[in-house]
Amino acid sequence: MLAEPLQIGPLRLATNLLLAPIAGYCDLAFRTIVREWSTHPAGIGVGVGLACTDLLSPQGLLRGTATSLDLAATNDFDKPVGMQLYGSDPDIMAQGARWAVEHGATVVDINMGCPVDKVTKKDGGSKLLTDLGRAVEIARRVVAELEMCALSADEWQRRTGNSSFPVPVERAPVPLTCKMRLCWHDSDYASGNACSPHLARMLADVGVTAVTVHGRTTEMKFSGEVQLPGIARVVEAVGEQIPVIGNGDVREPEDAVRMIRATGCQGVMIGRGALSTPWIFRDAWALQKTGKLPQAPGEAEIVASIRRYLDLMIETRGVNYAMVQIRRRITWFAKRMMWTDERGRLVGVKPLKEAVRNARSPSEVHQRLDEYLAGGLRGGSYEAEEATA
Ligand SMILES: Cc1cc2nc3c(=O)[nH]c(=O)nc-3n(C[C@H](O)[C@H](O)[C@H](O)COP(=O)(O)O)c2cc1C
């Protein structure tokens, strides 16, 4: 239903919109940016209801490896936060879930959708869609572990950070969600034999509180069109029992509304759309609430957001990380930076992107952004840049 905040187990989110995990992108700095846009004074107050860490290795967390700890880092502003685990061993996943709860998770999620070889070769991610027994056993073990480390009402209050929304009045476990694709093989989907409706039902029966469905098969990876009917079938199967969160190719606020209408899903998760448009949550929520979009941010606001993102990355992960990331990420931000020239053509910011990619220090990035705001570093066809970005 439109504009209905999503309930995940005991947790009532501020909205029905979620930031997807995107390995290498949705770090603490980026989640902070998305949350800041969601409480932006120009917005209508809220946007993102839940943001999730990128996929985390439970073994890495339990061993305390630096990379895993960096990826799992969170803070008081970053709430409520989901922590996503991947793997195939039920006991290790359960221990990883306990670690997540002890380190600030408000939701634990199991990755059942990653198509990348590194993950599927070890039977994790979407490989679980080919072994439903194992997928359910992992969920059952994790639910049992989460029950054993249930949080007090005070701790719930701290973790939701939003007293205007109801939180549990007594001890309650951190809810478990699972994120899946439609099924592994295209042929199973085409013949009406996708496993996701059946899997979602079995997961709900062992205590999973919501499922996210990326409307593609594993074989599709990230190409081809998202199959909204496939998401709708999961809603039909399990929607009365637990909420279904639809995911895939939501690039504009209107896409979120379309997905809710076409599938009946109760939540929408946005990944790549948020990389170019971190204010998409604010806009998609406003559109649902009022039927209207807030005014689009001006270029000064977008530039301020890029500067803020750079500063946050330096603060959380250091200068080297921040420089590597800003050189990659400028391409995504630039997708929303364009203007119309005197002949009415849409012009992009190719020179700015090149200048940021060649910058050797944060201060040089800031100088280039200053030059841009002063009217420089513009040019190149916008459509061409969009296509190659
Ligand atoms: C580079 C990249 C990394 C991703 N990493 C993860 C991940 O760590 N965990 C996960 O569940 N999904 C991951 N995904 C999938 C996204 O969460 C999402 O399901 C997918 O991109 C479709 O949604 P979108 O079109 O809104 O991006 C990743 C996707 C991309 C493109």
Side-chain angles (χ1 to χ4, degrees):
M1 216 200 301
L2 288 182
E4 187 64 38
L6 183 63
Q7 181 90 28
I8 300 182
L11 176 68
R12 189 169 167 81
L13 304 182
T15 69
N16 55 3
L17 302 168
L18 299 87
L19 174 66
I22 302 204
Y25 289 87
C26 292
D27 55 7
L28 176 58
F30 188 67
R31 296 198 301 275
T32 304
I33 290 291
V34 164
R35 292 182 195 280
E36 287 181 353
W37 274 107
S38 290
T39 50
H40 199 268
I44 72 160
V46 283
V48 74
L50 182 74
C52 192
T53 65
D54 293 341
L55 83 178
L56 304 168
S57 149
Q59 289 93 338
L61 297 174
L62 296 166
R63 278 200 302 266
T65 61
T67 314
S68 295
L69 297 185
D70 276 344
L71 291 174
T74 181
N75 62 23
D76 280 350
F77 183 65
D78 183 36
K79 40 179 155 168
V81 67
M83 291 195 186
Q84 188 189 63
L85 304 173
Y86 74 96
S88 59
D89 182 312
D91 282 332
I92 292 175
M93 293 291 275
Q95 289 171 44
R98 175 176 281 271
W99 187 99
V101 171
E102 286 167 356
H103 292 80
T106 323
V107 168
V108 170
D109 185 72
I110 297 177
N111 183 318
M112 299 187 178
C114 181
V116 172
D117 279 357
K118 204 174 123 198
V119 172
T120 56
K121 279 199 175 134
K122 292 191 178 155
D123 297 333
S126 68
K127 195 69 192 295
L128 290 170
L129 301 177
T130 66
D131 186 351
L132 303 192
R134 182 182 287 270
V136 174
E137 180 54 16
I138 293 172
R140 200 185 58 74
R141 283 283 294 109
V142 171
V143 166
E145 192 70 29
L146 292 174
E147 272 164 13
M148 280 192 279
C149 51
L151 302 179
S152 67
D154 284 351
E155 188 55 30
W156 269 108
Q157 193 69 50
R158 269 194 288 279
R159 289 192 190 199
T160 53
N162 187 342
S163 55
S164 64
F165 286 91
V167 291
V169 288
E170 43 197 44
R171 280 184 94 70
V174 163
L176 176 66
T177 58
C178 295
K179 180 166 178 284
M180 62 181 75
R181 287 180 177 240
L182 300 172
C183 55
W184 184 285
H185 296 291
D186 290 348
S187 55
D188 285 339
Y189 178 69
S191 61
N193 291 315
C195 65
S196 43
H198 181 47
L199 175 60
R201 247 190 327 259
M202 290 196 293
L203 292 173
D205 288 344
V206 297
V208 168
T209 54
V211 290
T212 302
V213 185
H214 174 191
R216 287 191 172 88
T217 65
T218 306
E219 283 181 344
M220 287 170 82
K221 301 226 160 121
F222 293 96
S223 61
E225 235 177 86
V226 160
Q227 300 297 311
L228 295 181
I231 299 175
R233 265 171 236 144
V234 181
V235 176
E236 274 161 37
V238 85
E240 301 267 302
Q241 221 177 329
I242 56 169
V244 175
I245 299 156
N247 166 244
D249 292 355
V250 172
R251 302 296 172 103
E252 304 292 340
E254 293 82 355
D255 298 332
V257 170
R258 198 171 308 121
M259 181 176 270
I260 294 169
R261 289 213 168 107
T263 67
C265 65
Q266 291 97 327
V268 174
M269 182 178 272
I270 306 175
R272 290 164 295 175
L275 301 183
S276 60
T277 319
W279 56 91
I280 192 170
F281 301 94
R282 171 199 90 174
D283 289 4
W285 185 245
L287 188 64
Q288 290 180 67
K289 287 285 273 190
T290 66
K292 289 195 217 111
L293 288 173
Q295 194 179 0
E299 59 184 16
E301 278 179 288
I302 297 178
V303 167
S305 191
I306 298 172
R307 293 188 198 277
R308 171 87 177 129
Y309 179 54
L310 180 60
D311 291 347
L312 281 167
M313 285 195 294
I314 294 170
E315 199 181 302
T316 52
R317 305 282 293 270
V319 172
N320 289 346
Y321 174 86
M323 287 306 297
V324 169
Q325 286 291 328
I326 202 73
R327 291 186 193 115
R328 296 162 80 200
R329 300 296 287 272
I330 191 67
T331 303
W332 285 96
F333 283 111
K335 288 185 186 213
R336 296 292 177 184
M337 295 166 85
M338 82 296 275
W339 86 103
T340 312
D341 70 8
E342 63 287 351
R343 287 156 75 184
R345 288 177 309 200
L346 214 47
V347 182
V349 294
K350 202 165 174 213
L352 172 68
K353 286 197 291 184
E354 277 167 13
V356 170
R357 280 197 212 110
N358 292 327
R360 278 155 303 171
S361 65
S363 61
E364 209 180 309
V365 174
H366 286 297
Q367 277 165 22
R368 300 296 162 249
L369 292 169
D370 288 342
E371 265 176 65
Y372 171 75
L373 283 181
L377 298 179
R378 292 149 198 260
S381 139
Y382 175 70
E383 284 89 345
E385 284 185 45
E386 174 78 349
T388 55

